[in-house]
Amino acid sequence: MGSNEPSRHGGRFNRTGALSSPVLLTCFAIALTLITTTGWARRWLASGAAIESLLILYGDHVSRRIFPDLPLWTLLVTFNLLYAISSTSWLFYAAFAAGCYPFIGITCVIQFDPVSRSVRKRLRQVLKQLHFTRDKIALFNLPALEIDTDLDGLFVIRGISISLSSLTVVAHGIELGLKLADEIELAMCAEEVRIPLFRRVEVGHVYGSVKGGKPELFFGDLDDQGDTADDDISVLGETPLLRAATLGAEGYGRRPKLLESLSGNVLMRDSSAKAGFDSIKALSPDEDEAEKQYLAMLQEIKISSVVYEAKAKLKSKAGPEAEFLVDSKDTRAAVCAEMRNMPSIAHPPSRSVRVTTLQRLAPPHIRRFMQRMPFLYRLLLAAVSYFHAVSIKSINVAGSGQFTAHMLQQQVFKHYATDNSEIRRLERRIKHWLADANFCLQLGGIDGTGQVPLSATYDISAYLEFNDVMVYRTMPEMGTSERVVRLGGAHARVTLPSYLLPHHEHLVPDKVTDYEELQLEGDVQEADGLPNRKRAEHVLEKAQRDETSLRLSVHASLPAALDQSLLNFVAALVKATKIIEIEKEVDVANTGLDTPVNSSPTSPTLPASDDASVASATSIGSERSVNTNFRSIARNIKQGLKEGSVTGHSIKEIAKDIGTTTQRGMKKALVGSMVNDRWIAKLVGKVAAKLQQAEGDVGYSGEISIPLAPYRAVEGLGSKILP
């Protein structure tokens, strides 16, 4: 709202020029209004066009004009041409006048310092939650947005700055916590997001963490049967989700925090957003004091963010002599690993508002109006998506390998490691590589565009391009980090039917009837060729389940660089799965059941050397097992002959033991002959070498099913005016 920059004409007001152009034009406009008899000059003055034109001339004369990038006469001619077109209709004339006078006020505030200072002073005295300084409006201590739809989560923005001169919105201190499942939670945060309106969306570095298991969760004790928003429409209050986040933040606040920051020996205050902003009850009407308060709030948000504290902890661990690159790729991976011990929402506010509450804020007549005109909804989304392409510096998401190792134990290894020493050895190698490390996925240089069509005939589409894709493996205990995967980039496309938008229930396909289902079954029978038959079966299956689909296509760009430790891990995993698969086939062939022969959970664990190859280890283990079992059987026969207790029944049991032992030895020999370390390592090495030299894209294209029942129209809705 105005600035103290000197004039482009030497810094001194030119009084002679001021009297020779704007003042004379003002006198001419007043005289023209009083003398003319046609009334067009009076209409021009009454509409506000004349006043705005004179203000633009005054602002240009003192080098403080609105829209300084546009030429003066181009701006004046375009503005008055818009008035001339609007004056042809009384309706357009009224709309022009209604919009022109607020624009006159904005022009005065931007161009003239006395007006801007007076307005800011009055607003600071009246509005306690808004902060006015220079040309910015700032809002702090905003209520959190509680996500209570398909997922449970909390979204926090600690501060928002709105620049009137550049029409730019800046969000400070963004935090997001989502409860994906009972034992999986996602935490995301970003320090700043800039939105130059009608131009683009600029997002800085985004950091995230996937947390699994009860010890890591901060929403783990959330009561799913707590209060709901059904009877609480307009009240902003404390909810179970907000209480869970607050308790997690308080527990985090009681932990010892770092005293040294990245900027030097600056003490970091142990306070949340609520504690930091509650002391600011009223803003100073003085311009300089208000500016100091505004900068202090932004500094508080910065130094208390989890990203800043994680970087400070890393610097403390590295020591004063170590080189610490704040914006390097390795540092961002280490920051994500450090954030795993921090709460998902580190600075919860004192209030929150639910998504379902916001959905019901509009009055019933407004909702009925929007319900009958879905074209307006598409028109709004089309403009927003077209003018706001998204660019993100990087997205960094870390996760612990312990959860992956736990899933492998449940889904792959199961009980097979109990009876096979080779599988136990491979399981130890795999768990050692996973469980002791954190893994960070880095997506750099992200550009995203979306398209919402004006016609509902076309689908909604979104396109994402990633200039760099990397995966890091970090060891928190050792303080080391290594890059295990790097790709040449990636791109993804998402396509969604337009009838899934709100107020478009009239376009949702009806549920198939019995006759239509018979027709679809006939199409399957009459399909020409396997591809057409598979496609027809897929259409029939979706119709029977009453579903549509979101089409997703993700492709990675080659070449790809893979670390040797990752190749060793892949080789061990392939080998373990192959051995388990062969054991399953042998067990099924011998017993007809998908269970191992003589599986005993109490079998002793035999030591195995990790340096031996699979063939030698398996063959040696088989020979030792067979020899040991035969010696035991021979010892039992000898003891029975001495005691004279060998009967027909005991002979049958001895024969059964001999058959089982022989069968087990043959199975292990078969596995050892089919699975070989050298062959698997050679195969994995060849694939990795090909990936390093190949060019092109490799990826996946598929569909995600979406049920149609929730999107269908309910009774009592009016007919569509603009469908």
Side-chain angles (χ1 to χ4, degrees), residues 684-711:
V684 173
K686 284 185 177 180
V687 173
K690 292 292 184 182
L691 291 177
Q692 292 179 359
Q693 302 297 327
E695 294 183 0
D697 294 341
V698 58
Y700 165 81
S701 294
E703 296 181 348
I704 300 176
S705 299
I706 300 176
L708 288 174
Y711 296 93

Side-chain angles (χ1 to χ4, degrees), residues 30-250:
I30 295 175
L32 186 65
T33 304
L34 296 176
I35 295 173
T36 183
T37 58
T38 57
W40 67 267
R42 293 188 181 93
R43 286 171 55 85
W44 179 50
L45 182 63
S47 67
I51 301 174
E52 180 64 22
S53 300
L54 293 174
L55 290 175
I56 292 175
L57 283 172
Y58 278 114
D60 182 76
H61 200 74
V62 297
S63 302
R64 200 171 295 161
R65 174 170 60 84
I66 193 172
F67 300 122
D69 296 333
L70 297 178
L72 173 62
W73 293 107
T74 301
L75 178 60
L76 288 176
V77 170
T78 303
F79 180 75
N80 285 277
L81 179 61
L82 180 61
Y83 161 75
I85 296 174
S86 302
S87 63
T88 59
S89 169
W90 67 267
L91 180 61
F92 290 164
Y93 178 83
F96 180 87
C100 186
Y101 280 99
F103 194 70
I104 289 173
I106 295 175
T107 303
C108 292
V109 170
I110 293 177
Q111 292 187 168
F112 307 114
D113 278 346
V115 179
S116 62
R117 284 195 297 267
S118 177
V119 170
R120 289 195 297 266
K121 183 176 180 179
R122 298 296 183 273
L123 289 177
R124 280 196 291 265
Q125 291 175 347
V126 175
L127 302 176
K128 304 302 183 183
Q129 299 299 326
L130 299 181
H131 191 124
F132 293 85
T133 173
R134 302 297 177 189
D135 66 332
K136 294 183 177 63
I137 299 176
L139 300 92
F140 297 100
N141 200 17
L142 299 169
L145 178 64
E146 182 174 338
I147 303 171
D148 59 343
T149 52
D150 296 333
L151 294 175
D152 291 324
L154 208 62
F155 180 68
V156 175
I157 299 179
R158 301 180 64 188
I160 292 179
S161 300
I162 304 173
S163 175
L164 299 179
S165 60
S166 60
L167 291 180
T168 302
V169 180
V170 182
H172 309 277
I174 299 97
E175 299 177 356
L176 172 65
L178 286 177
K179 184 180 179 183
L180 303 179
D182 291 338
E183 293 188 358
I184 302 177
E185 187 173 304
L186 174 65
M188 302 287 290
C189 66
E191 292 183 299
E192 186 177 277
V193 174
R194 299 178 58 85
I195 307 176
L197 295 178
F198 306 108
R199 285 160 286 179
R200 58 192 177 276
V201 177
E202 301 172 351
V203 185
H205 297 293
V206 180
Y207 299 88
S209 177
V210 180
K211 303 175 182 180
K214 290 294 183 180
E216 294 185 354
L217 300 183
F218 283 86
F219 294 151
D221 297 331
L222 179 63
D223 185 9
D224 295 331
Q225 306 298 326
D227 57 349
T228 64
D230 296 337
D231 301 324
D232 184 12
I233 297 178
S234 59
V235 177
L236 276 70
E238 191 180 76
T239 60
L241 189 61
L242 186 60
R243 286 196 296 270
T246 304
L247 291 175
E250 290 177 353

Side-chain angles (χ1 to χ4, degrees), residues 431-442:
K431 284 186 176 181
H432 175 73
W433 197 79
L434 287 175
D436 298 336
N438 292 324
F439 294 87
C440 177
L441 172 64
Q442 281 193 10

Side-chain angles (χ1 to χ4, degrees), residues 349-417:
S350 58
R351 298 282 184 175
S352 68
V353 57
R354 296 183 174 96
V355 173
T356 52
T357 300
L358 295 178
Q359 292 174 348
R360 293 192 292 265
L361 282 180
H365 65 278
I366 297 295
R367 281 184 282 175
R368 286 195 299 267
F369 177 77
M370 295 301 298
Q371 181 73 32
R372 300 189 66 186
M373 304 184 70
F375 175 77
L376 296 180
Y377 197 84
R378 294 199 305 274
L379 182 63
L380 175 63
L381 293 179
V384 171
S385 62
Y386 180 81
F387 289 107
H388 296 86
V390 180
S391 62
I392 306 174
K393 288 184 179 180
S394 69
I395 296 179
N396 312 269
V397 181
S400 174
Q402 294 181 356
F403 187 73
T404 305
H406 177 69
M407 295 300 296
L408 286 176
Q409 170 63 36
Q410 288 186 338
Q411 303 297 329
V412 177
F413 293 105
K414 298 180 181 178
H415 54 270
Y416 294 101

